[in-house]
Amino acid sequence: MSLRAAENDSGSEIHIPADIDWHMLDKSRFFFLGAALFSGVSAALYPMVVLKTRQQVQSTQISCLRMSFSMIRYEGFRGFYRGYGTSLMGTIPARALYMGALEVTKSSVGTATVGLGFSDTTATAIASAAAGVSSAMAAQLVWTPIDVVSQRLMVQGYNNSNSSKHVIPNMNSCRYRNGLDAFRKILYADGPKGLYRGFGISILTYAPSNAVWWASYSVAHKLIWGGFGCSIGKKDENGVIRDSGFRPDSKSLLAVQGLSAAMASGVSALVTMPLDTIKTRLQVLDREENGIRKPLTVLQTVRNLVKESGLAACYRGLGPRWASMSVSATTMITTYEFLKRLSAKSQEHLA
């Protein structure tokens, strides 16, 4: 099916652009442009990730505003980009794995569910949830080591600054000059498993988070357009809504995509925040046993969090994470849809 034909069949009341499947994409253009676009998005949102990470490993609650002023005063704006070089190095392969797994799974599962007799909305939700799980698991093969290294660089700056009245307890005492030095020292001290510290909890955090997000997004997207189509459609004498012939412009498309993404992000952030806090602490903090530093276990991490502030400790950094996820998701999905349009094969290749 050509892209133009798909667009014509995409809705009865409102003509929204059709979803572009995996076979419709120019793969080389898709991955190359994707790496460039998402690197820019990551750069814009990185300061919120640093704030979120530093809040999560604190033993006491410190507001984002206070922490931001402290960082500017003692570390300068550079403090907001500690570990960014390492993170950027992982962005390209991780995004390639993520987008590849997402599109392949969504296309194959979507076709299978429609063949089983599910409605279009249900099939889309199931395919999106499955794609969210598979893409998260694929990306974590790269992201977990990158997370371990970049997060240690993020919090190291806070403990080194003169502002550290609230020094992060149990933080690894090793000092890193840069990402490569951190990678080498972690590998030497703990072996490959040190780079994959928190891998299990990362999967438990991001797989359901992605499943919930993509399923919620696909359903919200269809419901919003469906409601909009009903509100502008014309009824005949039998009360049946006829085709309005309305074709939304680019601003309308962006607004609906952004609203759908924000709705999905709110649910996902609330559900997975405790797991994200546990994951961050596992990757950054250590325990001391007979004068020897050892990694924390999940049970010890949970026990420490409950001892500090109960359930509230699991939600430290919720503000920056929610803001980061909402902005990131809105930017990501609009960029992602734009990327797919740019990467679509020409009509003659799809015929």
Side-chain angles (χ1 to χ4, degrees):
M1 181 189 295
S2 72
L3 184 57
R4 187 176 299 279
E7 287 188 8
N8 289 335
D9 293 339
S10 63
S12 57
E13 291 92 22
I14 185 166
H15 296 287
I16 60 172
D19 192 23
I20 299 174
D21 291 329
W22 179 247
H23 72 278
M24 297 178 179
L25 295 172
D26 180 327
K27 310 302 186 298
S28 58
R29 195 192 309 169
F30 180 66
F31 287 121
F32 178 77
L33 290 176
L37 288 170
F38 284 111
S39 294
V41 172
S42 298
L45 300 174
Y46 196 78
M48 283 188 279
V49 177
V50 174
L51 285 172
K52 185 265 303 182
T53 302
R54 291 192 179 191
Q55 280 194 321
Q56 286 178 318
V57 298
Q58 286 290 330
S59 58
T60 56
Q61 180 65 39
I62 300 175
S63 70
C64 286
L65 195 60
R66 183 180 174 188
M67 186 173 283
S68 297
F69 280 130
S70 178
M71 287 172 64
I72 292 170
R73 181 180 178 185
Y74 293 100
E75 303 173 59
F77 285 101
R78 199 176 153 193
F80 289 98
Y81 283 89
R82 285 189 181 274
Y84 177 68
T86 302
S87 180
L88 184 61
M89 284 174 60
T91 294
I92 296 173
R95 284 293 180 189
L97 282 171
Y98 185 93
M99 293 187 296
L102 182 76
E103 287 301 323
V104 170
T105 306
K106 194 190 294 185
S107 181
S108 57
V109 175
T111 303
T113 48
V114 169
L116 290 172
F118 287 97
S119 67
D120 185 49
T121 301
T122 304
T124 302
I126 293 171
S128 297
V133 172
S134 67
S135 59
M137 293 179 71
Q140 283 309 307
L141 292 171
V142 176
W143 267 126
T144 299
I146 294 299
D147 260 353
V148 170
V149 173
S150 61
Q151 286 174 349
R152 291 198 183 192
L153 292 170
M154 288 178 200
V155 299
Q156 176 178 271
Y158 191 68
N159 261 13
N160 286 345
S161 73
N162 297 327
S163 63
S164 301
K165 294 177 182 177
H166 303 278
V167 173
I168 298 169
N170 300 324
M171 199 187 85
N172 194 297
S173 57
C174 191
R175 288 289 161 265
Y176 311 115
R177 294 191 301 274
N178 50 48
L180 192 61
D181 183 54
F183 181 88
R184 183 179 58 80
K185 287 179 177 175
I186 293 169
L187 195 62
Y188 177 79
D190 302 321
K193 68 178 183 180
L195 292 169
Y196 279 90
R197 188 190 286 193
F199 179 72
I201 198 74
S202 294
I203 295 294
L204 288 175
T205 300
Y206 293 119
S209 175
N210 270 262
V212 170
W213 195 94
W214 280 105
S216 300
Y217 172 79
S218 65
V219 171
H221 194 256
K222 283 185 174 291
L223 289 176
I224 292 170
W225 279 126
F228 189 54
C230 289
S231 69
I232 65 171
K234 297 177 181 178
K235 292 184 179 180
D236 60 15
E237 61 274 9
N238 298 318
V240 177
I241 296 175
R242 296 299 183 188
D243 190 352
S244 65
F246 176 72
R247 294 181 183 275
D249 57 20
S250 58
K251 290 181 181 179
S252 300
L253 291 172
L254 284 174
V256 173
Q257 288 168 356
L259 180 58
S260 302
M263 290 167 64
S265 298
V267 177
S268 185
L270 280 172
V271 170
T272 60
M273 187 66 203
L275 288 171
D276 188 64
T277 300
I278 294 167
K279 174 193 75 71
T280 301
R281 287 194 165 214
L282 278 174
Q283 292 176 330
V284 173
L285 304 182
D286 288 325
R287 62 189 170 93
E288 193 168 314
E289 189 176 298
N290 299 323
I292 301 173
R293 290 264 179 184
K294 293 185 177 180
L296 285 164
T297 64
V298 173
L299 189 60
Q300 288 167 333
T301 303
V302 173
R303 195 178 295 147
N304 290 343
L305 281 166
V306 172
K307 192 186 297 181
E308 287 172 15
S309 303
L311 184 63
C314 295
Y315 283 88
R316 282 188 193 136
L318 177 62
R321 185 169 190 249
W322 196 326
S324 176
M325 280 188 71
S326 296
V327 176
S328 176
T330 303
T331 309
M332 183 272 292
I333 198 63
T334 52
T335 303
Y336 187 66
E337 296 291 351
F338 177 63
L339 169 64
K340 287 170 72 175
R341 299 277 155 193
L342 286 178
S343 305
K345 293 177 181 176
S346 58
Q347 296 296 319
E348 55 268 21
H349 286 104
L350 291 171

